[in-house]
Amino acid sequence: MKVILLDEQVKEIQTLISELIEQEIKFHLTNLNLSSPYLNKKQTCEYLNISNNTLDSWINKGLPAIRIGKTIRFDKNEIHKWISRLEK
């Protein structure tokens, strides 16, 4: 079975899908607090889609981390700089 849509129907569907994706991204950023420039370990793992073990390994390899007592935070800009240096 083949479905044929008018151009305006295709555009409307594209707009609806785009709006839904944008809402989901905003929802997840708000709930994970990933909009902050500084992330904790759990947020960093989710932000980079890596495991805690991988994050620990990257820290040992030089991933910049901010330590305040027992608390550790990661600056998103520094994460991107560190990763981009690895890609070269």
Side-chain angles (χ1 to χ4, degrees):
M1 180 167 99
K2 188 174 184 178
V3 177
I4 300 174
L5 300 172
L6 299 173
D7 285 343
E8 57 208 32
Q9 292 171 314
V10 170
K11 287 180 183 177
E12 185 176 338
I13 291 170
Q14 288 172 332
T15 300
L16 289 171
I17 291 172
S18 176
E19 289 171 356
L20 284 172
I21 291 171
E22 186 176 347
Q23 286 174 3
E24 283 298 309
I25 289 171
K26 285 180 181 177
F27 173 78
H28 287 287
L29 286 176
T30 301
N31 286 340
L32 296 174
N33 198 22
L34 296 180
S35 58
S36 169
Y38 299 100
L39 306 172
N40 63 28
K41 283 186 81 173
K42 181 180 178 188
Q43 292 168 327
T44 302
C45 288
E46 291 174 3
Y47 181 70
L48 296 172
N49 196 27
I50 60 173
S51 70
N52 190 57
N53 289 340
T54 299
L55 181 60
D56 288 338
S57 172
W58 288 10
I59 293 168
N60 290 332
K61 292 178 182 178
L63 177 67
I66 302 165
R67 296 181 192 273
I68 304 168
K70 293 182 180 181
T71 303
I72 186 166
R73 294 287 184 263
F74 301 88
D75 182 329
K76 283 195 282 189
N77 290 325
E78 293 301 317
I79 292 170
H80 290 283
K81 287 179 191 176
W82 186 78
I83 290 173
S84 68
R85 284 194 298 267
L86 293 177
E87 293 174 343
K88 292 180 181 177

